[in-house]
Amino acid sequence: MTAPVFVVDHFDTDGTGRYVLDGPEGRHAVSVKRLRAGEAVVLTDGAGRWAEGEVDGTEGKDRLIVRLGEVAEQPEEFPRLTVVQALPKGERGELAVETMTEVGVDAIVPWQASRCITQWKGERGAKSLAKWRATAREAGKQSRRVRFPEVGDAATTKRVASLLAEADFAAVLHESGTEALATAALPAAGNIVLVVGPEGGISPEELALFEEAGARAYRLGRSVLRTSTAGTAAAALLLGRTGRWS
């Protein structure tokens, strides 16, 4: 059985190498996973630090006692991949975040494009952003990542243009692209920023602003993907081509 991953705020032990996993993560380990003495676990802060451990026992329904090994740190991988994701309808946003996390995206930026049907405003916007971040955390655990993707605040089109201008490779998935993303020249390091538009498409004004910032329009393939799946497909292609899946 593959060792389950749990998220912690610190790696402090009691001086004897014993770590107490409590709170929601402890309850999940004890009452849901039903872990027992001798089983392996992985603890991570989601920011690259992690440690393997062995269950020493349980206390009540929400305290897992772990014999913790040495804490290690996984360095950031490059080129770093950021996906700017236009807001999909309904729960498709969480689907996009989940699958992009699984394939290895480093950062996700929600984008309120002009043609987005979904609107993130006020309390609803805050709740939606919290869902995206919670989804990234859970998907990071499920896919056994120890460095979870950053989910930024909802960005305006102007902010997206700034991200593209700062990138070492800036791409917009768009049907007007004459070059395939599969053949684009990619950097060996630095930052890649990829923009995925809404179901209604990126407006001519937005595309012009992005191109002015230094981005190019690329096509992904012959078929038309939903906005909630296009980012994952493109991310997998890019990560494979950069060697990060090697």
Side-chain angles (χ1 to χ4, degrees), residues 181-201:
L181 191 62
T183 59
L186 302 177
N191 296 295
I192 294 175
V193 177
L194 173 74
V195 177
V196 180
E199 299 290 357

Side-chain angles (χ1 to χ4, degrees), residues 4-231:
V5 176
F6 298 96
V7 182
V8 298
D9 295 325
H10 62 83
F11 295 91
D12 299 334
T13 62
D14 62 1
T16 66
R18 287 172 22 121
Y19 182 95
V20 179
L21 182 68
D22 53 12
E25 292 289 87
R27 179 175 293 277
H28 185 72
V30 175
S31 300
V32 179
K33 289 288 190 180
R34 299 184 182 278
L35 297 179
R36 296 293 181 263
E39 294 189 81
V41 296
V42 172
L43 305 185
T44 179
D45 62 1
R49 298 182 71 218
W50 63 281
E52 294 179 336
E54 181 179 298
V55 177
D56 197 47
T58 62
E59 294 178 356
K61 296 181 178 180
D62 60 359
R63 289 168 63 88
L64 189 77
I65 312 303
V66 179
R67 290 283 179 182
L68 202 60
E70 184 178 352
V71 178
E73 183 163 4
Q74 182 186 83
E76 284 194 73
E77 296 185 89
F78 291 97
R80 178 178 167 84
L81 175 58
T82 296
V83 176
V84 176
Q85 174 67 59
L87 305 181
K89 295 181 292 185
E91 296 180 353
R92 289 189 176 276
E94 286 92 87
L95 172 64
V97 172
E98 179 181 49
T99 53
M100 285 193 287
T101 298
E102 289 174 357
V103 301
V105 167
D106 300 293
I108 301 168
V109 179
W111 172 37
Q112 185 73 66
S114 63
R115 293 178 178 175
C116 283
I117 296 175
T118 299
Q119 299 288 317
W120 280 13
K121 295 181 179 179
E123 185 178 349
R124 177 182 178 182
K127 287 183 178 179
S128 296
L129 179 58
K131 284 183 179 180
W132 279 36
R133 287 173 172 164
T135 298
R137 172 188 167 107
E138 293 307 310
K141 290 166 56 179
Q142 180 66 34
S143 56
R144 297 181 54 76
R145 291 182 60 169
V146 297
R147 187 178 290 276
F148 301 162
E150 303 168 10
V151 178
D153 294 335
T156 62
T157 297
K158 184 177 180 181
R159 173 56 183 155
V160 173
S162 296
L163 292 174
L164 293 168
E166 297 166 358
D168 297 282
F169 177 81
V172 180
L173 294 182
H174 198 268
E175 63 271 15
S176 67
T178 57
E179 184 179 354
L181 191 62
T183 59
L186 302 177
N191 296 295
I192 294 175
V193 177
L194 173 74
V195 177
V196 180
E199 299 290 357
I202 296 173
S203 72
E205 295 78 15
E206 290 167 336
L207 183 59
L209 183 63
F210 295 161
E211 290 179 335
E212 185 180 338
R216 290 187 59 180
Y218 292 89
R219 51 186 174 79
L220 185 56
R222 295 180 179 180
S223 59
V224 178
L225 302 181
R226 285 183 176 271
T227 184
S228 54
T229 55

